[in-house]
Amino acid sequence: MEKIINSICNVVIDNSYKSFNESITIFNKDKNDIKIINSNNNEAKLNINDVYDEVLIITDENVYNHQVEDLINSIKARTIYEYIVPAGENSKCLEVYEKILNYCIRINLSRKSVIIAVGGGVVGDLGGYIASTYMRGIDVIQVPTSLLAQVDSSIGGKTGINLGKLKNIIGTFYQPKFTYINVNSLKTLPQDEFISGMAEVIKYSVIYDYEFLDYLIENSEAILNRDNKCLYYIVKKCASIKVNIVGKDEKEGSLRKILNFGHTFGHGVEKLCKISHGDAVSIGMNMAFKLSISEKLISQNYYDKFITVSKAYGLPLEFASSLKEEDSKFENKERLAKEVLSIMKNDKKNSFGKINLILPVELGEVKVINNIDESKILNIIRECNNA
């Protein structure tokens, strides 16, 4: 077990769930109402029921079949309630949110209860938002099981649900009690989901650590084969970077904005083309690189290196849409490009009517830029539409 902590974030990285109860002790040891002493007059390990009166696990159908039993066996609680949502982005909606709140009421969850969100980014965002709003906030523990969630979404306290085409437009900043990462759980992921998560891993090399980009290229085969040492290294590297960034800027006032690299472009593509979040981020990063090239902010060599690492992991760089028979190819592409731009203009990170873009400006460095003409942005979207 290894801890990455600061005044904002508590993260535990392990290769199993064996230290979950130990983490309960670590991150509740300062509670005044918990004083458990063993016969040797030393502080004893807390069981989860020494801290919480009820435990609710929120997960999805896929994760339930592969991960939840092992976690439950490690928790050893008197009673554990489970709520299973359909897998996929559609579960991040008001309807599912309301159903789970009603279930919380039915099982008598109190302010002394805890929600454990076990799954990928969808479950983490949904479970975190429920915990942040139920009874004005109860404890939540994040247990991410996807690569994307382990390196990014489970850390830092962002929660949210979608409304129509707008992703995470409803949400809160609400820090989990801790995030418990079992790196070995990545072995159960389908290969396409694992590859999709690599987009968020690559993101960290572009925004913060250029040398990490070389590691990802040189070790691509071992990483794709899910070598234990490589998996642990990349998860720890990305988690450490995010903990550091969030520790300096919890509410995304300045530095934390760089974590949105690829997302402003990507969210529009993700919703309209119904592709995975990671694939959309990969396409969004490519758009951002192309725009930086056109604005002469970076060299062609840097862009070529991004292409190299993206291709090494089989990540998409362009998007497509299904064509309706009555539409010409040009009409469909143009309409889709304008819809992507429209979603970008409604992004919650914008301000004063300007689109805030995160663009590469140096090796391993990005900046927030909001003075790019919309026509230039639209041209980049068109370039990356291969329909």
Side-chain angles (χ1 to χ4, degrees):
M1 181 182 75
E2 194 164 357
K3 302 188 294 294
I4 306 172
I5 62 176
N6 60 23
S7 60
I8 304 297
C9 301
N10 299 316
V11 178
V12 176
I13 302 178
D14 205 349
N15 282 314
S16 68
Y17 293 119
K18 64 184 178 183
S19 298
F20 188 88
N21 268 343
E22 185 178 343
S23 300
I24 292 286
T25 301
I26 292 169
F27 297 115
N28 285 281
K29 64 183 179 181
D30 294 329
K31 283 193 172 182
N32 294 327
D33 57 339
I34 297 172
K35 296 178 181 177
I36 299 176
I37 306 299
N38 65 19
S39 58
N40 295 322
N41 208 33
N42 296 319
E43 185 177 353
K45 290 183 180 180
L46 301 173
N47 180 275
I48 198 167
N49 290 130
D50 297 321
V51 183
Y52 300 110
D53 58 2
E54 302 289 356
V55 179
L56 170 63
I57 287 178
I58 299 176
T59 189
D60 69 30
E61 298 162 328
N62 294 338
V63 176
Y64 182 80
N65 293 328
H66 294 98
Q67 296 290 326
V68 172
E69 184 177 356
D70 287 344
L71 177 61
I72 288 175
N73 290 337
S74 298
I75 293 175
K76 299 177 183 177
R78 290 189 301 268
T79 303
I80 296 178
Y81 295 97
E82 302 162 3
Y83 196 101
I84 304 169
V85 301
E89 190 74 16
N90 288 338
S91 288
K92 281 176 55 174
C93 65
L94 286 170
E95 181 183 1
V96 173
Y97 167 71
E98 184 177 2
K99 286 180 179 178
I100 298 178
L101 283 183
N102 284 322
Y103 182 73
C104 291
I105 294 169
R106 192 159 73 247
I107 63 175
N108 294 316
L109 251 61
S110 74
R111 287 181 174 174
K112 291 290 186 180
S113 301
V114 64
I115 289 175
I116 305 177
V118 187
V122 169
V123 168
D125 285 352
L126 177 64
Y129 184 60
I130 290 164
S132 73
T133 53
Y134 182 73
M135 292 189 171
R136 295 196 175 97
I138 65 174
D139 278 0
V140 61
I141 298 170
Q142 293 283 356
V143 182
T145 59
S146 71
L147 180 59
L148 185 151
Q150 289 190 1
V151 302
D152 193 77
S153 63
S154 69
I155 302 168
K158 276 189 176 182
T159 78
I161 56 178
N162 306 330
L163 187 63
K165 294 180 180 180
L166 301 180
K167 187 175 173 71
N168 297 327
I169 197 68
I170 304 171
T172 58
F173 286 96
Y174 193 73
Q175 296 299 334
K177 193 68 179 178
F178 61 94
T179 295
Y180 191 95
I181 299 173
N182 171 12
V183 176
N184 197 50
S185 68
L186 298 177
K187 299 291 182 68
T188 68
L189 286 182
Q191 186 70 350
D192 59 344
E193 188 175 342
F194 179 82
I195 290 171
S196 176
M198 283 303 303
E200 293 283 2
V201 175
I202 293 168
K203 177 189 79 176
Y204 284 100
S205 68
V206 177
I207 69 171
Y208 209 83
D209 189 341
Y210 179 72
E211 292 182 359
F212 186 39
L213 189 60
D214 290 322
Y215 177 89
L216 295 176
I217 293 172
E218 293 165 5
N219 295 277
S220 59
E221 184 175 352
I223 292 170
L224 286 171
N225 288 330
R226 305 191 210 188
D227 173 80
N228 283 325
K229 185 178 179 181
C230 288
L231 288 183
Y232 199 94
Y233 179 80
I234 64 174
V235 169
K236 181 183 176 182
K237 167 69 77 172
C238 297
S240 298
I241 292 172
K242 183 154 191 185
V243 166
N244 184 37
I245 291 173
V246 173
K248 295 175 180 177
D249 178 21
E250 181 183 8
K251 299 293 179 67
E252 204 171 68
S254 54
L255 177 63
R256 187 170 177 171
K257 291 179 180 179
I258 69 174
L259 293 166
N260 294 310
F261 174 60
H263 289 63
T264 304
F265 278 111
H267 281 167
V269 175
E270 178 181 358
K271 197 67 180 178
L272 293 173
C273 301
K274 295 179 171 53
I275 59 178
S276 71
H277 178 71
D279 285 357
V281 168
S282 177
I283 295 165
M285 289 191 295
N286 186 42
M287 291 182 183
F289 264 99
K290 280 180 170 290
L291 190 53
S292 285
I293 286 284
S294 69
E295 294 295 304
K296 297 180 172 54
L297 299 175
I298 58 171
S299 69
Q300 183 66 40
N301 287 340
Y302 188 20
Y303 178 49
D304 291 342
K305 197 164 188 177
F306 168 74
I307 296 297
T308 297
V309 71
S310 299
K311 288 184 175 179
Y313 292 97
L315 286 163
L317 299 170
E318 298 178 332
F319 65 98
S321 63
S322 58
L323 299 175
K324 294 181 179 180
E325 292 182 1
E326 65 269 20
D327 292 339
S328 71
K329 185 174 182 178
F330 173 79
E331 289 171 342
N332 184 279
K333 287 185 68 172
E334 188 63 16
R335 186 176 68 250
L336 183 61
K338 289 180 178 178
E339 287 180 358
V340 171
L341 180 62
S342 177
I343 292 175
M344 291 174 66
K345 291 168 72 173
N346 285 304
D347 191 283
K348 60 186 178 298
K349 297 177 289 295
N350 295 336
S351 57
F352 296 100
K354 296 180 180 180
I355 300 176
N356 289 325
L357 296 170
I358 315 298
L359 300 181
V361 293
E362 299 285 350
L363 301 183
E365 182 183 344
V366 295
K367 285 186 178 179
V368 181
I369 297 177
N370 62 9
N371 61 353
I372 305 293
D373 189 87
E374 286 185 13
S375 62
K376 294 181 179 179
I377 299 173
L378 193 58
N379 284 336
I380 294 296
I381 298 171
R382 292 187 186 113
E383 281 185 38
C384 291
N385 183 353
N386 65 4

